Amino acid sequence: MLVLNHDQVMLQDAARGFVTDRAPVAALRTIRDEKIADGFDRDLWRQMADMGWTGILVPEDQGGLGFGFVGAGVICEEIGRTLTASPFLSTAMMAATALSRAGTPAQQERWLPAIVAGEAVIATAIDEGRKHDPAKTALKAERSGNGFRLTGIKTYVVDGQAADALIVAARTAGAPGETEGISLFLVDPKARGLASERLVTLDSRGAAELTFDGVQVTADDVIGEVDAGHGLVEVVLAAGRAGLAAELSGNAQESFARTVAYLRERKQFGRTIGAFQALQHRAAHLFCEVELARSAVLSALQALDADADKASLAVSVAKAKAAQVARLASQEAIQMHGGIGMTDAIDIGLFMKRMQVASELYGDADFHTDRVALARGF
């Protein structure tokens, strides 16, 4: 059933209260205007840890809550409502998924407790070009001694500028475009030969471009199996994509709510503009689309909880739909607010900017629509 259970509703209420009080949209403006280097508030990250959020996908026997992807998605949705900047997606969802599923005992012992405590930020480096396509991984991992030497570039690594560790997809065999021959490595961001350039992002958050020049890693740094990491990459990306879809859903819901509130207060020709039938039709259409996106996202999160290895199509449907609806919500919000919607005086423009970044990250609507079509034989 596409409904939250009692515990998930309680989590949703707690998350909404927390981000509304501790991380309103004004907090993002502070990060932007004060040019905070991390791209997020580390004190807020520790408070999220105190709430238990950082361990939501870490199994109980490894010190976490083991609350599942639906619970993580509930948090992402509320984060989307207030544009909360944090490493929740990169660390609590993607890194926690990779390490809890395939990390060695030593890797788990070192990093999972640090994630749960809010003491670590771990970024996942996948993309290398302008468009998302993990199968085209070209960063070389050449055997060297008892390990590998990494050479290549990773682009737009979310939270890479503030990471305490990096999970890096590299090619240990095969050629770009092939799914076989991809491996995941846990890399120290301060390793010799690794250069990081902080990127200025549209959504005022943090990302980095990483250049690897013969960075040495050992066999102990491998996550999962050498040459057979594509399946793990897909599960980790599914976690990230589902989290982004949930955030986009929250973004769309809040954009819609703010637009409806404006329709009820803005007056023209002696009456509120919400009384005009043309705007009512547009608002009704947007409401239906927002609800469809919410259902698609919850279905994907439930699929991940049921079997993460078989949830990729459900996640692609959710990511595509949520991206399309968030874009529609932003466009309608800008248009129905009129000229003021394009200014920095109100927050609608900030929702549009985050929507644009989140929609592109880990595959835009076209990428995921194509994945579903190919899987269905079209």
Side-chain angles (χ1 to χ4, degrees):
M1 296 177 61
L2 294 179
V3 294
L4 301 177
N5 63 32
H6 178 69
D7 290 339
Q8 291 160 352
V9 170
M10 290 182 64
L11 174 62
Q12 183 182 56
D13 291 341
R16 185 168 300 178
F18 178 86
V19 297
T20 300
D21 180 51
R22 307 288 181 86
V25 178
L28 178 66
R29 288 184 178 274
T30 299
I31 290 171
R32 180 195 68 179
D33 297 343
E34 296 183 4
K35 296 180 173 60
I36 295 176
D38 286 338
F40 63 89
D41 183 345
R42 285 192 178 265
D43 184 57
L44 177 68
W45 181 233
R46 286 188 287 270
Q47 292 176 43
M48 288 182 172
D50 292 339
M51 294 286 288
W53 294 3
T54 52
I56 199 162
L57 288 180
V58 177
E60 292 183 70
D61 61 3
Q62 295 173 334
L65 295 181
F67 204 65
F69 285 100
V70 173
V74 163
I75 294 172
C76 286
E77 185 177 296
E78 297 308 318
I79 282 173
R81 288 178 180 272
T82 62
L83 302 178
T84 303
S86 81
F88 183 81
L89 182 81
S90 63
T91 303
M93 291 198 73
M94 297 180 71
T97 296
L99 291 169
S100 62
R101 287 179 66 91
T104 65
Q107 291 169 347
Q108 293 176 349
E109 183 178 357
R110 167 65 181 90
W111 291 108
L112 289 180
I115 291 175
V116 172
E119 297 172 351
V121 173
I122 303 178
T124 302
I126 301 291
D127 290 324
E128 299 177 11
R130 295 180 61 187
K131 283 294 185 178
H132 178 67
D133 192 344
K136 290 186 178 179
T137 294
L139 188 145
K140 293 182 180 180
E142 300 175 306
R143 290 193 176 275
S144 174
N146 72 332
F148 298 84
R149 291 172 62 86
L150 307 182
T151 303
I153 294 176
K154 291 293 183 182
T155 60
Y156 207 90
V157 180
V158 176
D159 296 320
Q161 82 295 340
D164 301 296
L166 301 165
I167 296 175
V168 180
R171 184 160 294 283
T172 46
E178 298 177 359
T179 56
E180 294 299 318
I182 294 175
S183 304
L184 283 179
F185 296 90
L186 193 60
V187 181
D188 183 348
K190 297 179 181 179
R192 184 190 299 272
L194 176 53
S196 174
E197 178 184 356
R198 191 185 191 284
L199 302 177
V200 178
T201 62
L202 179 67
D203 57 352
S204 304
R205 305 195 185 196
E209 179 169 301
L210 306 178
T211 302
F212 296 77
D213 184 9
V215 175
Q216 186 72 45
V217 293
T218 71
D220 293 335
D221 296 319
V222 176
I223 302 175
E225 299 181 26
V226 174
D227 294 343
H230 182 261
L232 178 59
V233 168
E234 280 299 311
V235 173
V236 173
L237 283 173
R241 291 161 177 164
L244 285 167
E247 184 185 337
L248 284 164
S249 176
N251 182 302
Q253 291 172 49
E254 184 64 19
S255 294
F256 173 71
R258 290 175 180 238
T259 301
V260 169
Y262 187 74
L263 294 180
R264 289 172 173 166
E265 68 180 34
R266 176 75 167 91
K267 289 187 177 181
Q268 194 170 15
F269 306 117
R271 57 193 226 178
T272 59
I273 61 175
F276 298 123
Q277 193 175 58
L279 296 185
Q280 291 175 357
H281 288 170
R282 289 168 66 175
H285 173 245
L286 180 55
F287 170 79
C288 293
E289 290 296 307
V290 167
E291 290 302 305
L292 284 172
R294 290 180 66 181
S295 296
V297 170
L298 182 52
S299 178
L301 294 167
Q302 290 176 342
L304 280 167
D305 279 332
D307 188 344
D309 293 311
K310 298 180 181 179
S312 62
L313 288 187
V315 171
S316 283
V317 170
K319 181 64 161 61
K321 186 62 178 178
Q324 292 167 346
V325 172
R327 182 177 298 278
L328 175 64
S330 292
Q331 291 172 341
E332 290 289 67
I334 294 291
Q335 291 186 25
M336 286 194 250
H337 273 80
I340 195 173
M342 293 297 295
T343 71
D344 196 49
I346 61 173
D347 295 333
I348 289 298
L350 299 177
F351 283 86
M352 179 185 67
K353 290 175 181 178
R354 177 56 184 167
M355 172 279 299
Q356 186 66 44
V357 173
S359 294
E360 290 286 334
L361 190 59
Y362 306 138
D364 60 12
D366 290 340
F367 174 88
H368 288 289
T369 300
D370 187 58
R371 273 169 60 98
V372 174
L374 290 172
R376 298 301 184 193
F378 291 99

